[in-house]
């Protein structure tokens, strides 16, 4: 973590934010969702608060003024609302010069296995289009020359993170430190994953010539891949750990910038391989039940590495963190969260993510101080999702950016009731 802090002044941030909150029951962009209900801070505000505090700390280390750039990838659906959110809040204190926004395009939808384009029912001269996926971010950083400019400005790392996972901020500095120590050109932030869990997994694909590539394999392909290669049982939990040997990919990634620029400037210009995942109308598997999208994923970047810089493939790695510390996204509606919870996997709703946000603050204080919680957590049921609430504890970035901050600033025995609410903010 402390090595990562030393690298902070050389790090730029890329926020992937092309999603709306409609399927969550929220009428707006996901970045405008509140992280927690005590202060009502939205995700974008919380992320910018963290970056500003990190830049302040980096400036003290470097003994100079430091500005850490933030690149936001929006979609045609989220671009204007994102700009309005920033404008109405004066960029949450961030300088206008620090923020770059790139907009991804939509692509024509496909109607069948022959890849026929589909037109609107009321106008046969207008194509139905759909989002292309967050893999567009690499080409956009090439096309806009932003990545090249950041490299020329002296930045060494590029950190990609998602729009509604506040806990990822706990893993940013340690992941940067691991990248620096290991010399990784790509370092995926991961969490333990239960076998068959609907999350992409990080695996090492090996060839007969002993070369290998660490990359993401989607959950709907992993089990069959394992059965056909190294594990007749497929994706099963290790009896000692209770987790799959293949950690879950959170789609938060640290890139070493010089190699990243070389790769996206290569023949493919940062365009990662595309795929379709349609639902078929009948057993002929030729016609789709509805127009499907051609999509791409930013975590498939290792495929570009293998093509453009194969000699650096062994410098792709991952860093795994406990899930309570680094991963609790808001991605499901209450109904989808209820179904997930019934299946024994995290619901990943706004309410469960908020409970997890408070819980990680409590667990960090318990790990690095003598905090004791009086009373048991209270159980709540909301929309069919059952979860626990303990103390509503918030450690603002300007109070505790690192574990060392907690050790330094909090001493002695501390007691807090399970029903308390506490916001700790400010340098001292």
């Amino acid at each position: 973590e402390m090595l990562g802090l030393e690298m902070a002044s050389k790090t730029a941030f890329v926020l992937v934010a092309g999603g709306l909150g409609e399927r969550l029951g929220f009428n707006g962009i996901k970045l405008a969702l509140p992280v927690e209900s005590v202060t009502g801070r939205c995700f974008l505000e919380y992320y910018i608060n963290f970056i500003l505090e990190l830049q302040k700390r980096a400036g003290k280390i470097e003994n100079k003024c430091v500005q850490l750039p933030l690149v936001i990838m929006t979609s045609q659906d989220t671009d204007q609302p994102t700009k309005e959110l920033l404008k109405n809040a004066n960029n949450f204190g961030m300088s206008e010069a620090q923020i770059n926004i790139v907009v991804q395009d939509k692509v024509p939808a496909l109607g069948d296995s022959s890849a026929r384009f589909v037109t609107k029912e009321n106008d046969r001269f207008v194509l139905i289009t759909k989002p292309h996926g967050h893999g567009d971010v690499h080409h956009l950083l090439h096309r806009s020359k932003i990545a090249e400019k950041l490299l020329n400005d002296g930045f060494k790392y590029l950190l990609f993170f998602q729009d509604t996972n506040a806990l990822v901020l706990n893993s940013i500095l340690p992941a940067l430190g691991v990248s620096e120590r290991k010399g990784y050109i790509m370092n995926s932030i991961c969490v333990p994953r239960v076998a068959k869990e609907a999350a992409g997994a990080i695996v090492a694909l090996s060839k007969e010539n002993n070369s290998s590539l660490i990359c993401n394999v989607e959950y709907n392909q992993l089990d069959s891949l394992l059965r056909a290669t190294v594990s007749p049982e497929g994706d099963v939990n290790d009896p000692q750990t209770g987790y799959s040997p293949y950690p879950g990919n959170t789609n938060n990634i640290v890139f070493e910038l010089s190699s990243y620029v070389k790769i996206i400037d290569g023949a493919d210009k940062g365009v990662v391989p595309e795929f379709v995942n349609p639902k078929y109308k009948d057993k002929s598997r030729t016609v789709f039940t509805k127009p499907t999208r051609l999509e791409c994923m930013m975590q498939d970047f290792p495929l570009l590495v293998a093509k453009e810089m194969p000699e650096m493939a062994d410098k792709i790695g991952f860093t795994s963190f406990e899930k309570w510390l680094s991963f609790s996204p808001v991605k499901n509606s209450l109904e989808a969260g209820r179904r997930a919870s019934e299946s024994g996997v995290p619901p990943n709703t706004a309410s469960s993510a908020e409970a997890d946000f408070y819980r990680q603050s409590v667990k960090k204080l318990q790990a690095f101080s003598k905090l004791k919680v009086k009373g048991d957590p209270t159980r709540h049921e909301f929309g069919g999702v059952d979860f626990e609430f303990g103390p509503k504890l918030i450690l603002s970035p300007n109070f505790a950016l690192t574990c060392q901050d907690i050790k330094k600033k909090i001493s002695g025995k501390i007691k807090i009731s399970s029903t308390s609410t506490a916001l700790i903010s400010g340098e001292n």
Side-chain angles (χ1 to χ4, degrees), residues 163-406:
D163 50 9
T164 55
N165 177 30
L167 300 192
V168 71
L169 302 187
N170 290 321
S171 57
I172 284 177
L173 292 179
L176 279 171
V178 170
S179 290
E180 177 68 11
R181 182 163 291 162
K182 298 284 188 179
Y184 287 154
I185 65 168
M186 176 178 175
N187 182 12
S188 296
I189 294 174
C190 299
V191 293
R193 177 185 156 277
V194 177
K196 309 294 193 300
E197 186 177 340
I202 298 296
V203 305
L205 300 180
S206 300
K207 293 184 178 181
E208 292 180 353
N209 63 3
N210 292 326
S211 65
S212 66
L213 184 70
I214 293 178
C215 64
N216 175 80
V217 173
E218 283 304 289
Y219 67 91
N220 58 350
Q221 300 172 334
L222 179 65
D223 193 70
S224 57
L225 173 66
L226 293 174
R227 290 178 186 276
T229 53
V230 297
S231 175
E233 300 84 11
D235 185 24
V236 294
N237 290 327
D238 183 324
Q240 292 186 334
T241 66
Y243 292 103
S244 168
Y246 307 98
N249 175 34
T250 67
N251 288 341
N252 301 289
I253 308 170
V254 181
F255 286 101
E256 192 278 319
L257 194 51
S258 63
S259 55
Y260 180 82
V261 169
K262 287 179 183 177
I263 292 167
I264 65 173
D265 283 350
D268 292 323
K269 308 301 180 187
V271 177
V272 294
E274 300 166 310
F275 65 95
V276 291
N277 188 23
K279 291 185 172 140
Y280 293 98
K281 206 167 193 176
D282 52 42
K283 293 181 179 179
S284 69
R285 295 177 67 86
T286 56
V287 180
F288 305 155
T289 56
K290 61 181 180 179
T292 194
R293 66 173 178 155
L294 188 67
E295 56 185 304
C296 58
M297 302 186 299
M298 71 176 190
Q299 63 265 35
D300 283 341
F301 194 81
L303 302 179
L304 294 183
V305 176
K307 182 175 181 179
E308 300 291 344
M309 295 180 68
E311 71 279 6
M312 298 299 290
D314 63 344
K315 291 300 182 181
I316 298 173
F318 66 91
T319 305
S320 188
F321 297 85
E322 290 295 327
K323 189 173 285 188
W324 69 263
L325 182 69
S326 63
F327 190 64
S328 182
V330 180
K331 64 179 185 179
N332 286 332
S333 65
L334 285 173
E335 175 57 26
R338 181 188 62 77
R339 292 195 302 268
S341 186
E342 290 174 353
S343 301
V345 298
N348 292 332
T349 61
S351 50
S352 66
E354 181 177 2
D356 289 341
F357 181 78
Y358 300 136
R359 187 180 301 115
Q360 57 90 26
S361 294
V362 172
K363 293 188 77 167
K364 284 197 295 185
L365 281 190
Q366 288 175 327
F368 299 107
S369 72
K370 297 179 180 180
L371 174 71
K372 288 189 177 181
V373 177
K374 296 172 60 179
D376 296 324
T378 55
R379 300 195 68 84
H380 296 264
E381 184 272 330
F382 190 74
V385 179
D386 191 39
F387 54 92
E388 289 184 344
F389 261 117
K392 296 180 180 65
L393 178 62
I394 301 169
L395 304 177
S396 291
N398 62 7
F399 173 75
L401 192 67
T402 67
C403 297
Q404 292 296 324
D405 291 338
I406 297 175

Side-chain angles (χ1 to χ4, degrees), residues 12 20-21 34 46 101 110 118 139 145 147 230 308 310 313 333 344 372 383:
L20 291 168
Y46 187 65
I101 296 178
L110 307 177
V118 184
H139 176 66
K145 302 292 185 185
V230 297
E308 300 291 344
S333 65
K372 288 189 177 181

